[in-house]
Amino acid sequence: MDMWTKQLGWVALLLSTVTSFTISAQEVVASKVQSELPHTVIRLPNVHPGRDAVYAYAKTLLAESLRVTKAQYGTFELLVSDQETAQERQLRSLEHNMLDVTWSVTSKERERQFLPIRIPIMAGLFGKRALFVKAGDTRLKGVETLQDLQAFRAVLGYDWPDTKIFRANDIPVLETTYRASFRIVSEGFADMFPRSVMEIHEEAQDDTLSRDLVIDQNLIIAYPSPIFFFVSSDNQALANRITEGLLTLFETGKFQALLVANANFKQGMSLIEERTVIGIENPFLSEQSRLALEKFLPEFSASKPLEDFEATEMAVPVQVEKQ
């Protein structure tokens, strides 16, 4: 072997050593950066019976939004409360540091008190209400207008924004708890229990909730009413992380795919197609949330190609600042 060949061999060995050292150093730096990021425990509310699939979807979506932001924010784990909690109490638990994230129908009042992530996670379908009625009650068959509907009494929850929305449209409302609402209709104290098209099928299959009730075959009551993730008013960092994660999922199409693949979504869309839709106003929706609905809802259309999505356009109405 001549001197030139030996020199080339030494150069190759040196380059290999330097490259290996550089890669190892990069791995060490990356590992160190990752280890320096915090591990975040995120506390969530428990599920109401009869709403397991909707809850599972929201929890999965949240987990995915956190997973795709691990490189920037660190690892996480979700800790579910062992107690079933009403909507308003879930939100109050954010402020009292008992929960970190919840999801709820929004309103101006809730957005003043808590920090919304203005991305509609249920594609606005909680503003599309099918109706539980007493088995054998066919009186809604003749209802075609809001004026017709105002002759019937609904039952809704004490702390639900929907209760105020119905009353603002002169639809009589009896207020009670979630569980009692089913019994109120079956015993004839109210004529209908409006439920989101995404949850009514699952509730109808739970005989402990909806015994003696059926889903009305004629009507959908529709109004703009998105569900958002909420965090406490002082948790801007978590709001930023969830927002970034959701927008990333939107950009890749994973968000839309998760929702469209959900059986409750498919069943809900079929309910809307088969019924007369009566629209009512929602005077309690903020302008920012109305804009979010207008921007995001077209992205959930099954006929719209996901590649048409523009993340920068979608980011415009997503304000995570407290009003």
Side-chain angles (χ1 to χ4, degrees):
M1 182 181 295
D2 58 26
M3 183 64 68
W4 177 247
T5 302
K6 287 183 178 180
Q7 288 178 344
L8 285 177
W10 280 109
V11 170
L13 178 61
L14 179 61
L15 287 174
S16 174
T17 302
V18 170
T19 301
S20 177
F21 176 78
T22 302
I23 293 173
S24 297
Q26 289 173 342
E27 290 175 347
V28 168
V29 170
S31 176
K32 183 178 180 181
V33 169
Q34 187 67 34
S35 66
E36 289 176 351
L37 291 172
H39 176 77
T40 306
V41 176
I42 297 175
R43 296 162 297 174
L44 304 179
N46 209 331
V47 60
H48 279 299
R51 301 169 71 180
D52 300 79
V54 171
Y55 179 91
Y57 159 74
K59 184 180 175 184
T60 299
L61 181 63
L62 177 64
E64 284 297 306
S65 75
L66 298 170
R67 183 185 62 79
V68 298
T69 54
K70 279 170 59 176
Q72 297 90 350
Y73 292 93
T75 57
F76 69 94
E77 63 181 289
L78 302 180
L79 183 63
V80 178
S81 169
D82 58 0
Q83 294 183 342
E84 179 187 327
T85 310
Q87 273 188 33
E88 195 64 31
R89 187 174 175 185
Q90 289 178 22
L91 290 162
R92 295 295 177 192
S93 294
L94 296 176
E95 292 300 300
H96 291 93
N97 196 32
M98 297 169 67
L99 292 177
D100 298 300
V101 181
T102 189
W103 47 94
S104 171
V105 168
T106 194
S107 68
K108 292 176 183 177
E109 181 180 0
R110 288 181 174 182
E111 292 175 15
R112 281 193 294 267
Q113 295 174 320
F114 313 103
L115 199 53
I117 290 88
R118 288 196 180 93
I119 301 176
I121 65 173
M122 306 288 180
L125 290 185
F126 270 65
K128 304 292 186 294
R129 297 275 165 160
L131 308 172
F132 273 124
V133 296
K134 189 174 182 178
D137 186 352
T138 60
R139 291 175 297 153
L140 293 178
K141 190 173 183 179
V143 173
E144 296 181 353
T145 67
L146 174 57
Q147 186 175 1
D148 295 336
L149 188 62
Q150 289 165 345
F152 296 86
R153 176 187 286 179
V155 60
L156 290 163
Y158 287 119
D159 54 5
W160 299 356
D162 312 272
T163 303
K164 293 181 179 180
I165 293 169
F166 273 63
R167 284 183 172 151
N169 287 271
D170 295 324
I171 301 171
V173 176
L174 180 64
E175 292 182 70
T176 187
T177 64
Y178 168 76
R179 289 175 178 272
S181 297
F182 298 91
R183 179 174 51 81
I184 291 292
V185 175
S186 66
E187 294 180 358
F189 295 105
D191 304 305
M192 56 188 176
F193 183 21
R195 305 300 296 142
S196 163
V197 294
M198 273 196 72
E199 58 192 348
I200 196 167
H201 272 295
E202 194 170 359
E203 291 170 332
Q205 294 169 4
D206 187 340
D207 195 50
T208 64
L209 290 174
S210 56
R211 186 184 297 113
D212 301 324
L213 300 181
V214 296
I215 302 173
D216 171 68
Q217 298 297 307
N218 305 290
L219 296 180
I220 294 290
I221 302 174
Y223 47 98
S225 184
I227 281 191
F228 295 147
F229 286 122
F230 282 86
V231 300
S232 67
S233 58
D234 60 354
N235 202 345
Q236 186 73 53
L238 182 56
N240 289 343
R241 178 175 184 172
I242 295 171
T243 300
E244 290 176 28
L246 291 177
L247 289 175
T248 298
L249 294 176
F250 245 114
E251 189 172 5
T252 61
K254 182 69 178 290
F255 191 144
Q256 300 92 316
L258 278 172
L259 183 61
V260 172
N262 187 282
N264 293 51
F265 177 84
K266 296 175 182 177
Q267 291 169 339
M269 295 302 290
S270 67
L271 281 175
I272 297 170
E273 293 169 359
E274 298 165 358
R275 287 163 171 77
T276 298
V277 177
I278 295 180
I280 63 176
E281 297 296 321
N282 180 1
F284 307 103
L285 188 66
S286 70
E287 184 60 24
Q288 296 97 319
S289 294
R290 197 176 300 277
L291 286 173
L293 275 175
E294 291 175 3
K295 287 288 185 179
F296 280 96
L297 291 197
E299 299 301 326
F300 291 107
S301 171
S303 62
K304 185 178 179 63
L306 295 179
E307 56 265 29
D308 287 353
F309 175 74
E310 293 290 342
T312 52
E313 290 183 9
M314 292 302 101
V316 173
V318 185
Q319 304 293 329
V320 292
E321 300 173 357
K322 189 178 179 183
Q323 287 190 35

